[in-house]
Amino acid sequence: EPRSAWCCLAWTLLIVTMNSLIFCVNLLLMFVIFTIVLLPTIVVVYFGFQCHSQVLHSSARYCQSILDDNSSSALIILGFVIMSPLIVAALAIYCSLARRFHLLLCFQPYSRAVYKGVKWRWYEEGGLCRCARGCNTQVKAWV
């Protein structure tokens, strides 16, 4: 049964707010994971650019005594080379956490606001804690 106009508007605002919060949680989780995993690349590229004479040419002691232009170039290249596998690792970590916490099940479609009596998607699929009730936790590649 369809909802009234004001009720539909209120439910729409609730669903949009909830979906926006879930999106922000996903974005924050992704940002934290990528920052932690890509920290070695960030540090190596930063020191490479900081000590190169044609980029920033810092007057820090380690730039003058340890790193010359060739070693700074090597650090820059090394940082960009190790970036690709670290991005893949960060994506794998994010996807496994999103799956474990059921973050994508929390998004709700607009039809929840339009019609009365429609259950929430995560409730229909067994709830957020469905594996705590004894479901099979084995991952299968087929359905």
Side-chain angles (χ1 to χ4, degrees), residues 71-96:
S71 58
S72 296
S73 298
L75 282 178
I76 295 168
I77 292 169
L78 175 69
F80 284 114
V81 166
I82 65 173
M83 186 184 300
S84 297
L86 290 179
I87 288 175
V88 172
L91 280 172
I93 292 169
Y94 168 73
C95 289
S96 67

PDB file of all heavy atoms in Angstrom, residues 71-96:
ATOM      1  N   SER A  71      70.267   8.892  -6.015  1.00  0.00           N
ATOM      2  CA  SER A  71      69.526   8.123  -5.020  1.00  0.00           C
ATOM      3  C   SER A  71      68.119   8.679  -4.813  1.00  0.00           C
ATOM      4  O   SER A  71      67.183   7.931  -4.548  1.00  0.00           O
ATOM      5  CB  SER A  71      70.291   8.076  -3.698  1.00  0.00           C
ATOM      6  OG  SER A  71      70.526   9.373  -3.211  1.00  0.00           O
ATOM      7  N   SER A  72      67.956   9.992  -4.959  1.00  0.00           N
ATOM      8  CA  SER A  72      66.611  10.574  -4.872  1.00  0.00           C
ATOM      9  C   SER A  72      65.738  10.103  -6.029  1.00  0.00           C
ATOM     10  O   SER A  72      64.564   9.772  -5.835  1.00  0.00           O
ATOM     11  CB  SER A  72      66.693  12.097  -4.879  1.00  0.00           C
ATOM     12  OG  SER A  72      67.362  12.551  -3.738  1.00  0.00           O
ATOM     13  N   SER A  73      66.323  10.036  -7.222  1.00  0.00           N
ATOM     14  CA  SER A  73      65.574   9.514  -8.379  1.00  0.00           C
ATOM     15  C   SER A  73      65.224   8.052  -8.174  1.00  0.00           C
ATOM     16  O   SER A  73      64.123   7.612  -8.533  1.00  0.00           O
ATOM     17  CB  SER A  73      66.400   9.674  -9.651  1.00  0.00           C
ATOM     18  OG  SER A  73      66.649  11.027  -9.909  1.00  0.00           O
ATOM     19  N   ALA A  74      66.142   7.287  -7.591  1.00  0.00           N
ATOM     20  CA  ALA A  74      65.867   5.874  -7.321  1.00  0.00           C
ATOM     21  C   ALA A  74      64.724   5.726  -6.308  1.00  0.00           C
ATOM     22  O   ALA A  74      63.875   4.837  -6.444  1.00  0.00           O
ATOM     23  CB  ALA A  74      67.121   5.186  -6.806  1.00  0.00           C
ATOM     24  N   LEU A  75      64.694   6.597  -5.302  1.00  0.00           N
ATOM     25  CA  LEU A  75      63.592   6.546  -4.327  1.00  0.00           C
ATOM     26  C   LEU A  75      62.254   6.866  -4.982  1.00  0.00           C
ATOM     27  O   LEU A  75      61.243   6.228  -4.686  1.00  0.00           O
ATOM     28  CB  LEU A  75      63.857   7.524  -3.184  1.00  0.00           C
ATOM     29  CG  LEU A  75      64.851   7.099  -2.116  1.00  0.00           C
ATOM     30  CD1 LEU A  75      65.014   8.203  -1.088  1.00  0.00           C
ATOM     31  CD2 LEU A  75      64.406   5.823  -1.443  1.00  0.00           C
ATOM     32  N   ILE A  76      62.240   7.853  -5.861  1.00  0.00           N
ATOM     33  CA  ILE A  76      60.998   8.210  -6.548  1.00  0.00           C
ATOM     34  C   ILE A  76      60.505   7.048  -7.401  1.00  0.00           C
ATOM     35  O   ILE A  76      59.320   6.683  -7.365  1.00  0.00           O
ATOM     36  CB  ILE A  76      61.199   9.479  -7.392  1.00  0.00           C
ATOM     37  CG1 ILE A  76      61.484  10.677  -6.480  1.00  0.00           C
ATOM     38  CG2 ILE A  76      59.987   9.752  -8.270  1.00  0.00           C
ATOM     39  CD1 ILE A  76      61.971  11.916  -7.215  1.00  0.00           C
ATOM     40  N   ILE A  77      61.406   6.436  -8.157  1.00  0.00           N
ATOM     41  CA  ILE A  77      61.024   5.304  -9.013  1.00  0.00           C
ATOM     42  C   ILE A  77      60.561   4.130  -8.165  1.00  0.00           C
ATOM     43  O   ILE A  77      59.542   3.491  -8.466  1.00  0.00           O
ATOM     44  CB  ILE A  77      62.203   4.922  -9.932  1.00  0.00           C
ATOM     45  CG1 ILE A  77      62.443   6.040 -10.949  1.00  0.00           C
ATOM     46  CG2 ILE A  77      61.932   3.602 -10.637  1.00  0.00           C
ATOM     47  CD1 ILE A  77      63.725   5.906 -11.718  1.00  0.00           C
ATOM     48  N   LEU A  78      61.296   3.832  -7.085  1.00  0.00           N
ATOM     49  CA  LEU A  78      60.906   2.732  -6.201  1.00  0.00           C
ATOM     50  C   LEU A  78      59.523   2.965  -5.603  1.00  0.00           C
ATOM     51  O   LEU A  78      58.700   2.045  -5.531  1.00  0.00           O
ATOM     52  CB  LEU A  78      61.935   2.563  -5.079  1.00  0.00           C
ATOM     53  CG  LEU A  78      61.599   1.522  -4.018  1.00  0.00           C
ATOM     54  CD1 LEU A  78      61.675   0.132  -4.616  1.00  0.00           C
ATOM     55  CD2 LEU A  78      62.511   1.664  -2.829  1.00  0.00           C
ATOM     56  N   GLY A  79      59.252   4.183  -5.202  1.00  0.00           N
ATOM     57  CA  GLY A  79      57.943   4.483  -4.626  1.00  0.00           C
ATOM     58  C   GLY A  79      56.802   4.249  -5.591  1.00  0.00           C
ATOM     59  O   GLY A  79      55.768   3.678  -5.224  1.00  0.00           O
ATOM     60  N   PHE A  80      56.989   4.652  -6.848  1.00  0.00           N
ATOM     61  CA  PHE A  80      55.923   4.439  -7.822  1.00  0.00           C
ATOM     62  C   PHE A  80      55.817   2.987  -8.255  1.00  0.00           C
ATOM     63  O   PHE A  80      54.742   2.523  -8.610  1.00  0.00           O
ATOM     64  CB  PHE A  80      56.114   5.361  -9.027  1.00  0.00           C
ATOM     65  CG  PHE A  80      55.716   6.783  -8.733  1.00  0.00           C
ATOM     66  CD1 PHE A  80      56.664   7.793  -8.729  1.00  0.00           C
ATOM     67  CD2 PHE A  80      54.411   7.110  -8.447  1.00  0.00           C
ATOM     68  CE1 PHE A  80      56.304   9.102  -8.452  1.00  0.00           C
ATOM     69  CE2 PHE A  80      54.035   8.410  -8.161  1.00  0.00           C
ATOM     70  CZ  PHE A  80      54.989   9.404  -8.163  1.00  0.00           C
ATOM     71  N   VAL A  81      56.924   2.234  -8.200  1.00  0.00           N
ATOM     72  CA  VAL A  81      56.870   0.816  -8.561  1.00  0.00           C
ATOM     73  C   VAL A  81      56.132   0.013  -7.494  1.00  0.00           C
ATOM     74  O   VAL A  81      55.326  -0.870  -7.814  1.00  0.00           O
ATOM     75  CB  VAL A  81      58.298   0.263  -8.787  1.00  0.00           C
ATOM     76  CG1 VAL A  81      58.315  -1.249  -8.831  1.00  0.00           C
ATOM     77  CG2 VAL A  81      58.869   0.826 -10.079  1.00  0.00           C
ATOM     78  N   ILE A  82      56.380   0.298  -6.215  1.00  0.00           N
ATOM     79  CA  ILE A  82      55.711  -0.481  -5.167  1.00  0.00           C
ATOM     80  C   ILE A  82      54.276  -0.015  -4.925  1.00  0.00           C
ATOM     81  O   ILE A  82      53.545  -0.646  -4.161  1.00  0.00           O
ATOM     82  CB  ILE A  82      56.501  -0.468  -3.845  1.00  0.00           C
ATOM     83  CG1 ILE A  82      56.583   0.923  -3.247  1.00  0.00           C
ATOM     84  CG2 ILE A  82      57.858  -1.082  -4.011  1.00  0.00           C
ATOM     85  CD1 ILE A  82      57.213   0.956  -1.870  1.00  0.00           C
ATOM     86  N   MET A  83      53.869   1.040  -5.592  1.00  0.00           N
ATOM     87  CA  MET A  83      52.507   1.544  -5.385  1.00  0.00           C
ATOM     88  C   MET A  83      51.448   0.587  -5.934  1.00  0.00           C
ATOM     89  O   MET A  83      50.421   0.361  -5.283  1.00  0.00           O
ATOM     90  CB  MET A  83      52.339   2.915  -6.038  1.00  0.00           C
ATOM     91  CG  MET A  83      51.001   3.559  -5.747  1.00  0.00           C
ATOM     92  SD  MET A  83      50.762   5.106  -6.606  1.00  0.00           S
ATOM     93  CE  MET A  83      52.089   6.082  -5.980  1.00  0.00           C
ATOM     94  N   SER A  84      51.665  -0.006  -7.093  1.00  0.00           N
ATOM     95  CA  SER A  84      50.653  -0.871  -7.708  1.00  0.00           C
ATOM     96  C   SER A  84      50.283  -2.077  -6.850  1.00  0.00           C
ATOM     97  O   SER A  84      49.092  -2.316  -6.605  1.00  0.00           O
ATOM     98  CB  SER A  84      51.119  -1.335  -9.086  1.00  0.00           C
ATOM     99  OG  SER A  84      51.254  -0.234  -9.930  1.00  0.00           O
ATOM    100  N   PRO A  85      51.239  -2.870  -6.366  1.00  0.00           N
ATOM    101  CA  PRO A  85      50.822  -3.995  -5.515  1.00  0.00           C
ATOM    102  C   PRO A  85      50.202  -3.561  -4.199  1.00  0.00           C
ATOM    103  O   PRO A  85      49.320  -4.245  -3.664  1.00  0.00           O
ATOM    104  CB  PRO A  85      52.115  -4.787  -5.279  1.00  0.00           C
ATOM    105  CG  PRO A  85      53.214  -3.979  -5.792  1.00  0.00           C
ATOM    106  CD  PRO A  85      52.667  -2.910  -6.659  1.00  0.00           C
ATOM    107  N   LEU A  86      50.626  -2.421  -3.678  1.00  0.00           N
ATOM    108  CA  LEU A  86      50.035  -1.948  -2.422  1.00  0.00           C
ATOM    109  C   LEU A  86      48.597  -1.483  -2.626  1.00  0.00           C
ATOM    110  O   LEU A  86      47.758  -1.636  -1.732  1.00  0.00           O
ATOM    111  CB  LEU A  86      50.889  -0.844  -1.811  1.00  0.00           C
ATOM    112  CG  LEU A  86      52.243  -1.286  -1.253  1.00  0.00           C
ATOM    113  CD1 LEU A  86      52.997  -0.094  -0.704  1.00  0.00           C
ATOM    114  CD2 LEU A  86      52.079  -2.353  -0.209  1.00  0.00           C
ATOM    115  N   ILE A  87      48.291  -0.912  -3.782  1.00  0.00           N
ATOM    116  CA  ILE A  87      46.899  -0.531  -4.077  1.00  0.00           C
ATOM    117  C   ILE A  87      46.026  -1.773  -4.157  1.00  0.00           C
ATOM    118  O   ILE A  87      44.904  -1.795  -3.635  1.00  0.00           O
ATOM    119  CB  ILE A  87      46.827   0.308  -5.363  1.00  0.00           C
ATOM    120  CG1 ILE A  87      47.392   1.700  -5.107  1.00  0.00           C
ATOM    121  CG2 ILE A  87      45.406   0.389  -5.894  1.00  0.00           C
ATOM    122  CD1 ILE A  87      47.477   2.570  -6.341  1.00  0.00           C
ATOM    123  N   VAL A  88      46.542  -2.828  -4.790  1.00  0.00           N
ATOM    124  CA  VAL A  88      45.784  -4.079  -4.874  1.00  0.00           C
ATOM    125  C   VAL A  88      45.567  -4.664  -3.478  1.00  0.00           C
ATOM    126  O   VAL A  88      44.470  -5.129  -3.145  1.00  0.00           O
ATOM    127  CB  VAL A  88      46.506  -5.086  -5.798  1.00  0.00           C
ATOM    128  CG1 VAL A  88      45.857  -6.448  -5.750  1.00  0.00           C
ATOM    129  CG2 VAL A  88      46.525  -4.555  -7.226  1.00  0.00           C
ATOM    130  N   ALA A  89      46.592  -4.627  -2.639  1.00  0.00           N
ATOM    131  CA  ALA A  89      46.451  -5.134  -1.277  1.00  0.00           C
ATOM    132  C   ALA A  89      45.442  -4.307  -0.482  1.00  0.00           C
ATOM    133  O   ALA A  89      44.631  -4.862   0.271  1.00  0.00           O
ATOM    134  CB  ALA A  89      47.811  -5.122  -0.575  1.00  0.00           C
ATOM    135  N   ALA A  90      45.473  -2.989  -0.647  1.00  0.00           N
ATOM    136  CA  ALA A  90      44.518  -2.131   0.063  1.00  0.00           C
ATOM    137  C   ALA A  90      43.085  -2.414  -0.387  1.00  0.00           C
ATOM    138  O   ALA A  90      42.171  -2.447   0.443  1.00  0.00           O
ATOM    139  CB  ALA A  90      44.873  -0.662  -0.157  1.00  0.00           C
ATOM    140  N   LEU A  91      42.886  -2.603  -1.679  1.00  0.00           N
ATOM    141  CA  LEU A  91      41.545  -2.937  -2.175  1.00  0.00           C
ATOM    142  C   LEU A  91      41.067  -4.277  -1.629  1.00  0.00           C
ATOM    143  O   LEU A  91      39.897  -4.430  -1.270  1.00  0.00           O
ATOM    144  CB  LEU A  91      41.533  -2.953  -3.701  1.00  0.00           C
ATOM    145  CG  LEU A  91      41.441  -1.608  -4.383  1.00  0.00           C
ATOM    146  CD1 LEU A  91      41.641  -1.753  -5.883  1.00  0.00           C
ATOM    147  CD2 LEU A  91      40.118  -0.950  -4.096  1.00  0.00           C
ATOM    148  N   ALA A  92      41.955  -5.247  -1.563  1.00  0.00           N
ATOM    149  CA  ALA A  92      41.581  -6.558  -1.023  1.00  0.00           C
ATOM    150  C   ALA A  92      41.206  -6.458   0.454  1.00  0.00           C
ATOM    151  O   ALA A  92      40.230  -7.069   0.898  1.00  0.00           O
ATOM    152  CB  ALA A  92      42.727  -7.548  -1.213  1.00  0.00           C
ATOM    153  N   ILE A  93      41.959  -5.676   1.205  1.00  0.00           N
ATOM    154  CA  ILE A  93      41.649  -5.501   2.629  1.00  0.00           C
ATOM    155  C   ILE A  93      40.304  -4.798   2.799  1.00  0.00           C
ATOM    156  O   ILE A  93      39.474  -5.207   3.616  1.00  0.00           O
ATOM    157  CB  ILE A  93      42.777  -4.720   3.327  1.00  0.00           C
ATOM    158  CG1 ILE A  93      44.042  -5.566   3.380  1.00  0.00           C
ATOM    159  CG2 ILE A  93      42.359  -4.289   4.724  1.00  0.00           C
ATOM    160  CD1 ILE A  93      45.266  -4.797   3.810  1.00  0.00           C
ATOM    161  N   TYR A  94      40.075  -3.742   2.014  1.00  0.00           N
ATOM    162  CA  TYR A  94      38.792  -3.033   2.116  1.00  0.00           C
ATOM    163  C   TYR A  94      37.623  -3.950   1.759  1.00  0.00           C
ATOM    164  O   TYR A  94      36.608  -3.976   2.463  1.00  0.00           O
ATOM    165  CB  TYR A  94      38.781  -1.796   1.221  1.00  0.00           C
ATOM    166  CG  TYR A  94      37.395  -1.230   1.077  1.00  0.00           C
ATOM    167  CD1 TYR A  94      36.789  -0.559   2.127  1.00  0.00           C
ATOM    168  CD2 TYR A  94      36.666  -1.416  -0.094  1.00  0.00           C
ATOM    169  CE1 TYR A  94      35.502  -0.077   2.018  1.00  0.00           C
ATOM    170  CE2 TYR A  94      35.385  -0.933  -0.208  1.00  0.00           C
ATOM    171  CZ  TYR A  94      34.805  -0.265   0.842  1.00  0.00           C
ATOM    172  OH  TYR A  94      33.527   0.190   0.729  1.00  0.00           O
ATOM    173  N   CYS A  95      37.751  -4.691   0.668  1.00  0.00           N
ATOM    174  CA  CYS A  95      36.650  -5.571   0.245  1.00  0.00           C
ATOM    175  C   CYS A  95      36.368  -6.653   1.281  1.00  0.00           C
ATOM    176  O   CYS A  95      35.202  -6.983   1.532  1.00  0.00           O
ATOM    177  CB  CYS A  95      36.972  -6.190  -1.108  1.00  0.00           C
ATOM    178  SG  CYS A  95      36.915  -5.015  -2.467  1.00  0.00           S
ATOM    179  N   SER A  96      37.409  -7.204   1.889  1.00  0.00           N
ATOM    180  CA  SER A  96      37.173  -8.234   2.893  1.00  0.00           C
ATOM    181  C   SER A  96      36.508  -7.649   4.144  1.00  0.00           C
ATOM    182  O   SER A  96      35.624  -8.283   4.728  1.00  0.00           O
ATOM    183  CB  SER A  96      38.480  -8.943   3.259  1.00  0.00           C
ATOM    184  OG  SER A  96      39.348  -8.057   3.924  1.00  0.00           O
TER     185      SER A  96
END
